[in-house]
Amino acid sequence: MVRVTRLELRDFRNYERAEVALAPGLTVICGPNGAGKTNLLEALYFGCTGRSCRTSNERELVRFGEKVTRVSVDVDAEDGSHRLDVGFEPGEAKRFRIDDAQVDRPASATVRPLVGVFMPDRLDLVKGAPALRRAHLDQVVAALWPSRAAARADYSRALAQRNALVARIRAGSARPELLDPWDSELARHGIAVMEARRSALSELQDPFAQLAGELGLPGAPTLEYRPRSRAADPAELRAELAERRDDDLARGFTGHGPHRDDIALTRDRRALRSYGSQGQQRVALLALLFAERAALAAVGRAPLMLLDDVMSELDSSRRERLVELVRGGGQVVVSATEAEHVPGAREPDVELLFVADGAVALEAAA
């Protein structure tokens, strides 16, 4: 398992410079709203993954008036200590380094920790578009079974090639029967993607249901796979694609297959996306993230958990239960406006930090 020991940032959001040491287990970051707690969690995510968990406009990450931001994360892995660096200047490509050696993609590095993140903005994972849930589940598949990650990439390439051919057929520059081999390719990888998604949801379902109930979601919580295709093998999916070929040519793109699947978080078979309150959606997201942590911990890949403003809508008994989950194994960083909102925050093995106006301290400001 990879563990983060230290975070260093420069000109990131409202921080000119900051250094933070993380506990092996629980780290609690306290401070008033707007002080920069969420920015610290975002910096951790950015340093580990090379992207923001809050915005697609990464210009926002650079401190106002500055041109460049840099985040460094020190980690302990099975083979020793390493440093991950991400440098970013708006308009230029991000620069990734591991132990001072340049790399193209941090996601491919074995010393990079997996990261799970809860933020209020991430409720889109419950109530947003299906594409968000598909992408998230595919990331879980890749983390659980790295050898299965290729199926989704192969499917995406075959889909792009088929769509390009559909466009040429519509333009009159290619014949429809040329789709036959791409239908076969798409069907082969598509069935592999669907099987991997079902396997992952099977791993997650029982812990999700148990955790959701313990954290206050009433009824019967489930993770429901809603595939677009009913095919059980490549031949059946290929037949479905052939049957819908005329519709695809009329639309100009492939409208059938696992790239149109959905994964619903439900309660009593009603999708929380449409029928859940915001509080129920928050609990469901937390339960999903901790179910994923349990599954990944079982294969020795427990993620770093970043939990922002997670206690605000939980009563005291459920805060206690959440902290039990947090302390149950793995590394977790929790933000809160008051240390007292996190049971056990002042215990000796907890790293308790205070944030005020873009500065981090070990004691609260007087």
Side-chain angles (χ1 to χ4, degrees):
M1 185 176 72
V2 181
R3 182 175 69 84
V4 177
T5 59
R6 182 173 166 275
L7 167 71
E8 180 181 347
L9 52 148
R10 183 170 180 177
D11 294 323
F12 187 95
R13 293 286 191 178
N14 67 324
Y15 289 90
E16 178 181 3
R17 189 183 290 267
E19 294 185 23
V20 174
L22 271 62
L26 175 60
T27 299
V28 178
I29 300 174
C30 297
N33 291 329
K37 303 185 301 296
T38 303
N39 294 345
L40 273 185
L41 269 62
E42 182 185 21
L44 264 171
Y45 188 90
F46 186 72
C48 293
T49 68
R51 62 185 188 275
S52 169
C53 55
R54 298 169 65 193
T55 181
S56 58
N57 180 12
E58 293 185 331
R59 292 176 179 272
E60 297 173 8
L61 306 184
V62 182
R63 193 166 72 94
F64 184 75
E66 300 300 324
K67 295 181 178 180
V68 180
T69 188
R70 178 174 173 174
V71 175
S72 300
V73 174
D74 291 342
V75 302
D76 279 346
E78 292 181 359
D79 63 345
S81 299
H82 301 274
R83 167 164 282 207
L84 316 179
D85 292 298
V86 185
F88 172 62
E89 180 177 355
E92 302 289 336
K94 281 179 280 192
R95 299 176 297 280
F96 306 112
R97 301 182 73 84
I98 297 178
D99 298 332
D100 290 328
Q102 187 168 336
V103 296
D104 293 330
R105 295 189 312 116
S108 62
T110 58
V111 299
R112 182 187 72 86
L114 299 176
V115 187
V117 58
F118 173 93
M119 291 183 176
D121 292 347
R122 289 210 84 202
L123 287 183
D124 278 350
L125 191 58
V126 178
K127 62 184 181 180
L132 298 172
R133 290 181 288 280
R134 285 195 301 269
H136 182 80
L137 184 59
D138 290 339
Q139 289 172 354
V140 173
V141 167
L144 283 170
W145 308 294
S147 62
R148 286 183 153 184
R152 185 64 181 88
D154 291 340
Y155 180 84
S156 296
R157 282 191 289 268
L159 178 64
Q161 292 288 344
R162 189 181 192 273
N163 283 338
L165 181 54
V166 165
R168 292 199 299 274
I169 294 169
R170 280 169 54 89
S173 59
R175 303 186 310 277
E177 57 267 27
L178 293 176
L179 284 169
D180 290 344
W182 286 113
D183 285 0
S184 297
E185 189 79 356
L186 201 64
R188 180 166 65 89
H189 297 308
I191 290 297
V193 169
M194 293 167 64
E195 289 175 347
R197 289 173 177 172
R198 286 193 179 95
S199 295
L201 289 174
S202 178
E203 293 282 334
L204 299 176
Q205 173 53 48
D206 287 348
F208 169 77
Q210 179 180 342
L211 292 167
E214 291 175 356
L215 293 173
L217 186 63
T222 58
L223 297 172
E224 185 177 319
Y225 185 35
R226 297 180 176 178
R228 178 59 62 96
S229 169
R230 296 184 177 182
D233 57 44
E236 291 182 3
L237 182 50
R238 186 171 62 248
E240 290 177 353
L241 290 167
E243 182 181 334
R244 293 163 174 79
R245 182 174 292 182
D246 288 344
D247 290 340
D248 291 346
L249 292 173
R251 293 190 191 95
F253 59 88
T254 305
H256 185 72
H259 61 288
R260 304 296 298 277
D261 289 353
D262 197 2
I263 298 92
L265 286 75
T266 71
R267 180 178 68 89
D268 295 333
R269 306 195 69 178
R270 294 164 68 91
L272 290 166
R273 174 187 183 186
S274 302
Y275 297 101
S277 68
Q278 180 164 297
Q280 290 172 341
Q281 291 169 350
R282 284 171 63 97
V283 167
L285 178 56
L286 272 174
L288 175 62
L289 294 175
F290 276 96
E292 291 167 1
R293 184 178 78 158
L296 289 165
V299 296
R301 305 195 72 199
L304 166 66
M305 301 288 285
L306 307 177
L307 308 179
D308 185 42
D309 190 29
V310 72
M311 301 291 180
S312 61
E313 294 189 22
L314 297 176
D315 59 30
S316 59
S317 65
R318 291 187 176 117
R319 286 178 182 176
E320 293 276 1
R321 178 57 185 132
L322 181 57
V323 170
E324 287 177 10
L325 291 172
V326 164
R327 304 295 294 275
Q331 193 173 24
V332 184
V333 182
V334 176
S335 74
T337 53
E338 302 286 344
E340 287 67 31
H341 293 172
V342 184
R346 297 186 185 275
E347 293 183 5
D349 62 338
V350 176
E351 186 76 27
L352 179 58
L353 305 172
F354 296 90
V355 174
D357 299 324
V360 183
L362 296 176
E363 299 289 341

